[in-house]
């Protein structure tokens, strides 16, 4: 089966890759492009561990055809920090102990970052809704919700970006 050329902008960098027809974006990000921040959880669209954004919209990379992102901007949690300067959400997650095993965290961060971009001062219910597709087996969700609300208030220490 012949490979398909895909060009994308990954976290601001122009990238090109040959993919198999039908190969999903999660597989391509991790295996071909070396971005291990999107995680493989269920592979069926139910856990949110693979959450990324495509042209600014939240997408589950395990259910997204790699071919479909040709010409698109793809952002992952790898692009949140600015060098050594953490994103305000990353700081807030640390401050609020919102990550334990961390497996869900990168997906949570992408859902939360998209929420705060679109709605800088969300209500608690809006935060709950925004992360409703992201399953966490460890934290009980409350520290995560608190962290996102704190980031929205800008009440974490440091000067992280949004
Ligand atoms: S790995 Fe994509 S939703 Fe679970
Ligand atoms: S911190 Fe372990 S699954 Fe969320």
């Amino acid at each position: 089966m012949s490979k398909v050329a895909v060009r994308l902008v990954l976290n601001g960098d122009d990238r090109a890759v040959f993919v198999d027809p039908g190969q999903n974006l999660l597989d391509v990000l991790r295996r071909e492009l070396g971005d291990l921040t999107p995680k493989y959880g269920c592979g069926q669209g139910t856990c949110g561990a693979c959450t990324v954004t495509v042209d600014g919209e939240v997408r589950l990379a395990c259910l997204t055809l790699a071919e479909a992102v040709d010409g698109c901007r793809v952002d992952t949690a790898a692009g949140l920090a600015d060098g050594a300067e953490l994103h305000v959400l990353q700081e807030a997650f640390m401050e609020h102990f919102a990550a334990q095993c961390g497996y869900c965290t990168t997906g949570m961060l992408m859902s939360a970052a998209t929420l705060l971009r679109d709605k800088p001062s969300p209500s608690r219910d809006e935060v709950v809704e925004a992360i409703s597709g992201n399953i966490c087996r460890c934290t009980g969700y409350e520290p995560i919700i608190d962290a996102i609300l704190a980031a929205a208030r800008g009440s974490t220490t440091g000067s992280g970006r949004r």
Side-chain angles (χ1 to χ4, degrees):
M1 209 180 303
S2 58
K3 298 262 188 182
V4 179
V6 171
R7 295 177 196 274
L8 67 158
V9 179
L10 177 59
N11 295 322
D13 294 329
D14 290 325
R15 303 293 298 268
V17 63
F18 287 102
V19 307
D20 291 320
Q23 193 173 9
N24 69 54
L25 177 60
L26 178 60
D27 198 47
V28 170
L29 287 171
R30 292 181 60 86
R31 291 175 189 264
E32 316 295 344
L33 295 171
D35 186 343
L36 300 179
T37 56
K39 300 289 190 280
Y40 181 92
C42 63
Q44 300 177 344
T46 59
C47 76
C50 64
T51 302
V52 300
T53 62
V54 176
D55 287 343
E57 300 297 321
V58 168
R59 291 281 182 271
L60 298 173
C62 73
L63 295 186
T64 302
L65 279 177
E67 296 165 65
V69 306
D70 185 40
C72 296
R73 178 183 174 102
V74 176
D75 289 287
T76 72
L80 288 176
D82 184 8
E85 185 182 356
L86 293 180
H87 189 282
V88 66
L89 279 163
Q90 292 171 311
E91 291 185 351
F93 269 54
M94 289 197 302
E95 292 284 324
H96 290 266
F97 302 98
Q100 290 184 22
C101 81
Y103 207 80
C104 71
T105 305
T106 52
M108 287 282 186
L109 287 169
M110 293 309 293
S111 293
T114 305
L115 171 69
L116 296 192
R117 180 201 65 198
D118 295 341
K119 197 170 270 282
S121 300
S123 68
R124 192 173 190 85
D125 285 348
E126 287 168 334
V127 171
V128 170
E129 171 65 24
I131 62 168
S132 61
N134 297 86
I135 291 174
C136 179
R137 302 283 186 197
C138 305
T139 65
Y141 297 98
E142 291 301 313
I144 294 171
I145 296 165
D146 289 343
I148 296 168
L149 288 169
R153 291 192 303 269
S155 64
T156 57
T157 57
S159 57
R161 300 173 306 135
R162 276 211 185 129

